[in-house]
Amino acid sequence: MSQHIQSVRGMNDILPGEAEFWDVFEETVRSWLKSYGYRPIRLPIVEPTPLFKRAIGEVTDIVEKEMYSFVDSLNGEPLTLRPEGTAGCVRALIQHKLAAQQPQRLYYQGQMFRHERPQKGRYRQFNQVGVESFGFSGPDIDAEQILMGARLWADLGLDGIKLQLNTLGQPEERANHRAELIAYFEKYADVLDEDARRRLYTNPLRILDSKNPALQELIVMAPLLTNHLGSDSMAHFEGVQQVLRDAGQPFEINRRLVRGLDYYNLTVFEWVTDRLGAQGTVCAGGRYDGLVEQLGGKSTPACGFAMGVERLVALIRESGGEPALEGIDVYLVHQGEAASRLAPRVAEGLRDQGINVLFHCGDGGFKSQMKKADASGAAFAVIIGDDEANAGQVMLKPLRANGEVQNEQRRVGVDSIADEIMNSFLDWEEA
Ligand code: HAM
């Protein structure tokens, strides 16, 4: 017997049962984004490899180790499955001159790909909802984006997601810090792991982002950027904090928060929960004022964040959330020739009235169909036999009302089924 083909490691199917939670999540997210005036943009999953190298930085985990890159066999072009959405969004912004006339608030969602070691909450294909703004330079938008997160957690019924905040200053300020970092880590060259040694002179800030437990003590003692920040950077950071304080949004300043991508300046933040184990960051982002220009566009201030959908859905499930999805209202049972001709029309007629119908497809007597109707969770069975069909009627049988199993059934005319059902729903609501 040949072996079943399995999904690629770290790339998961989202099965019914879980996928409903995703639907609810996505619906909530869409109306939340609208309430802040963000507009959708849909971007390709594959982009030219140099885009990510230039945007994320050559000396980062993502670019050095985690990208799914390949060469287009037809034209030799180096391509990569997007590991994140910001680079593609900025590419599209430049390509279509979106920010030429007015500032933009954009969002996207979809699969991202990183060749990481899979574990709970960390996958090789994962989903992000990303939010990006272009053309706003003040701390007000940074703060608004942070407060957006807080509102979404509330909308999703999640609590205990904590905010960490830091500033990465400006590139010139980081250059001074960099020299200090190199001098510091040089003293411990023999303790550094291979990655850290390689990055020491190319991108020492990345050492601060290392997850190697053996380096943590060294990282905690490393010199901080704070001493190199100028007054403008300080004022921007203070501006963000002021809005958060005014809004009553608690936060923790984490001077070690550096993010894993090179494009950030000034504000960076992460939303973290301790309920998901090691992969507790559910949402992260910050300001990236240099990126548009760096990718060939006109200098444009920018700020954004992305959330990990798998992690948030896991958190919703862990918090006991139930997807309040519309269920099935009617299971349509039919047997006999005349009945089976009438039944599809009845089903479509009910759907015209906004009633959700599961139509019995295939064979089966009344008894076995009724079992399926019971198991479907529908509130009603609409039962059509040839007798009913010839009389232009159906049998309407409530299956459950307010959790109680119901039994009384009644014959109703084809034209009044929808009204009968709606009225019953109203009665049940009042009861
Ligand atoms: P990031 O921190 O790399 O930032 O990813 C954002 C979020 O995506 C993480 O906080 C996490 O929830 C989720 N995530 C990342 N990697 C994985 C994975 N392997 N498995 C599951 N979830 C994951 C960015 O991607 C930036 N583009 C965010 C941004 C937008 N900054 C400015 N604008």
Side-chain angles (χ1 to χ4, degrees):
M1 213 171 58
S2 66
Q3 242 194 329
H4 288 161
I5 295 178
Q6 303 280 319
S7 62
V8 176
R9 190 163 126 81
M11 304 201 184
N12 301 319
D13 303 308
I14 310 296
L15 303 178
E18 164 139 33
E20 279 88 349
F21 283 90
W22 285 63
D23 281 357
V24 173
F25 174 81
E26 284 163 8
E27 279 164 30
T28 308
V29 162
R30 257 198 287 278
S31 62
W32 161 77
L33 286 162
K34 270 199 201 127
S35 78
Y36 285 88
Y38 279 81
R39 297 179 63 199
I41 183 165
R42 293 183 183 243
L43 302 161
I45 286 179
V46 178
E47 296 275 6
T49 302
L51 173 68
F52 300 116
K53 292 193 175 171
R54 276 165 68 183
I56 298 169
E58 297 264 4
V59 187
T60 56
D61 277 354
I62 296 180
V63 169
E64 283 185 328
K65 315 178 195 170
E66 295 172 358
M67 294 208 301
Y68 282 88
S69 297
F70 56 98
V71 173
D72 183 325
S73 60
L74 293 181
N75 63 9
E77 189 181 1
L79 300 175
T80 293
L81 300 186
R82 61 183 181 193
E84 58 105 52
T86 307
C89 192
V90 170
R91 188 224 10 94
L93 181 97
I94 298 169
Q95 187 171 336
H96 305 287
K97 304 188 176 54
L98 295 182
Q101 306 300 330
Q102 59 191 25
Q104 294 285 333
R105 288 175 159 95
L106 304 172
Y107 77 86
Y108 50 83
Q109 75 180 95
Q111 287 94 331
M112 309 291 157
F113 301 84
R114 295 185 194 175
H115 202 282
E116 300 194 76
R117 208 144 56 86
Q119 54 171 263
K120 183 173 175 260
R122 188 163 77 192
Y123 309 104
R124 290 180 173 171
Q125 177 187 263
F126 59 98
N127 284 262
Q128 283 185 345
V129 173
V131 165
E132 317 286 0
S133 71
F134 300 97
F136 303 100
S137 56
D140 47 358
I141 188 94
D142 313 30
E144 187 188 61
Q145 288 190 346
I146 292 170
L147 292 175
M148 275 177 87
R151 178 176 298 278
L152 181 62
W153 318 143
D155 289 353
L156 292 169
L158 298 174
D159 51 26
I161 304 180
K162 298 215 171 81
L163 174 62
Q164 301 211 343
L165 199 60
N166 194 17
T167 179
L168 296 182
Q170 299 292 16
E172 322 73 81
E173 295 157 354
R174 283 217 295 275
N176 297 332
H177 179 222
R178 180 192 146 97
E180 202 185 347
L181 275 180
I182 295 176
Y184 168 78
F185 283 121
E186 267 178 341
K187 283 190 287 182
Y188 302 97
D190 50 331
V191 186
L192 297 181
D193 61 15
E194 200 191 309
D195 264 352
R197 229 171 288 144
R198 190 163 38 80
R199 291 169 172 181
L200 179 55
Y201 299 104
T202 47
N203 198 349
L205 196 71
R206 286 273 76 88
I207 302 178
L208 300 180
D209 195 36
S210 165
K211 300 288 173 287
N212 182 352
L215 296 186
Q216 294 313 306
E217 207 178 320
L218 210 55
I219 291 171
V220 171
M221 302 303 289
L224 290 169
L225 172 70
T226 327
N227 308 332
H228 304 280
L229 292 176
S231 56
D232 286 355
S233 294
M234 300 281 263
H236 189 98
F237 195 39
E238 182 47 40
V240 176
Q241 293 175 57
Q242 189 58 53
V243 180
L244 297 181
R245 281 194 291 267
D246 290 347
Q249 172 60 50
F251 57 88
E252 184 197 326
I253 293 181
N254 176 359
R255 295 285 178 197
R256 317 264 158 209
L257 183 66
V258 292
R259 309 277 301 119
L261 310 96
D262 279 351
Y263 47 63
Y264 293 105
N265 67 316
L266 296 175
T267 319
V268 289
F269 61 92
E270 295 197 354
W271 289 97
V272 187
T273 172
D274 55 14
R275 302 231 294 270
L276 291 177
Q279 305 304 320
T281 306
V282 292
C283 177
R287 184 163 275 286
Y288 52 98
D289 294 327
L291 186 58
V292 179
E293 192 171 16
Q294 195 186 314
L295 292 179
K298 240 180 81 201
S299 170
T300 309
C303 188
F305 62 92
M307 56 191 124
V309 179
E310 282 78 2
R311 294 182 190 178
L312 282 165
V313 170
L315 200 57
I316 292 169
R317 300 197 72 171
E318 203 257 354
S319 318
E322 272 297 316
L325 272 193
E326 277 182 49
I328 281 296
D329 302 316
V330 166
Y331 192 97
L332 207 149
V333 171
H334 57 96
Q335 194 188 24
E337 212 180 303
S340 298
R341 290 201 48 197
L342 177 62
R345 278 187 284 138
V346 169
E348 288 303 324
L350 290 174
R351 293 183 188 118
D352 285 344
Q353 307 289 320
I355 291 171
N356 302 336
V357 183
L358 205 59
F359 184 83
H360 180 83
C361 287
D363 297 333
F366 279 124
K367 213 168 149 195
S368 84
Q369 290 193 42
M370 282 309 295
K371 268 199 194 148
K372 295 199 168 100
D374 264 326
S376 73
F380 289 94
V382 166
I383 306 159
I384 315 179
D386 281 345
D387 280 356
E388 285 87 5
N390 290 327
Q393 293 182 318
V394 306
M395 196 70 86
L396 183 63
K397 181 172 191 238
L399 298 173
R400 53 189 59 75
N402 299 333
E404 308 262 313
V405 176
Q406 304 273 306
N407 283 313
E408 84 292 354
Q409 53 183 39
R410 55 192 190 274
R411 256 171 111 127
V412 300
V414 165
D415 294 335
S416 48
I417 319 169
D419 285 345
E420 293 274 341
I421 289 174
M422 297 296 199
N423 287 336
S424 300
F425 281 149
L426 287 176
D427 289 348
W428 296 348
E429 260 171 39
E430 276 167 23

